[in-house]
Amino acid sequence: MVKVTFVLTDQTSRSVEAETGWKLMEVAVNNAIPGIDGDCGGSAACATCHVFVPPEWASVTGERTDMEQAMLDSTYGVQENSRLSCQIEVSEEMDGLSVEIAEG
Ligand code: FES
């Protein structure tokens, strides 16, 4: 288990325990984190799991997949550090990770 923090759109934050091997979106949904809905079930087809990953965590969270990129190309408010949290698998190296939830 690792600790991850979600910064909500109202700038409050929620820290939760995350089991390795789970997707970050699943961790958020299981913990009822507001702003992460996971409507498509994790198939990179809805962007209701859009988060911003701080640059210092980019090497740990990995690169966007092609499907993820295609979805982000049609998503509002995308930034350089945008990711779909359903495409990020929690690993031991992510202990202490903090991601910001995108608006909308
Ligand atoms: Fe739908 Fe991530 S849950 S894109």
Side-chain angles (χ1 to χ4, degrees):
M1 297 282 258
V2 299
K3 184 175 143 188
V4 296
T5 298
F6 295 92
V7 178
L8 311 186
T9 55
D10 66 2
Q11 296 307 306
T12 60
S13 55
R14 295 259 313 268
S15 295
V16 298
E17 297 287 320
E19 196 161 338
T20 57
W22 285 65
K23 302 297 187 182
L24 198 54
M25 175 277 283
E26 295 171 323
V27 171
V29 170
N30 289 344
N31 284 280
I33 301 294
I36 299 282
D37 297 333
D39 286 348
C40 74
S43 55
C46 72
T48 63
C49 66
H50 182 189
V51 297
F52 303 116
V53 175
E56 62 268 29
W57 286 98
S59 62
V60 175
T61 53
E63 305 262 318
R64 295 175 187 167
T65 65
D66 290 344
M67 273 178 50
E68 179 180 6
Q69 184 63 58
M71 187 67 237
L72 286 171
D73 284 344
S74 60
T75 301
Y76 171 79
V78 171
Q79 300 178 9
E80 209 169 297
N81 59 345
S82 287
R83 292 295 312 273
L84 297 178
S85 58
C86 66
Q87 303 301 302
I88 299 173
E89 184 174 311
V90 176
S91 66
E92 291 289 344
E93 293 74 34
M94 289 182 200
D95 192 32
L97 171 69
S98 177
V99 298
E100 187 177 344
I101 297 172
E103 293 272 358

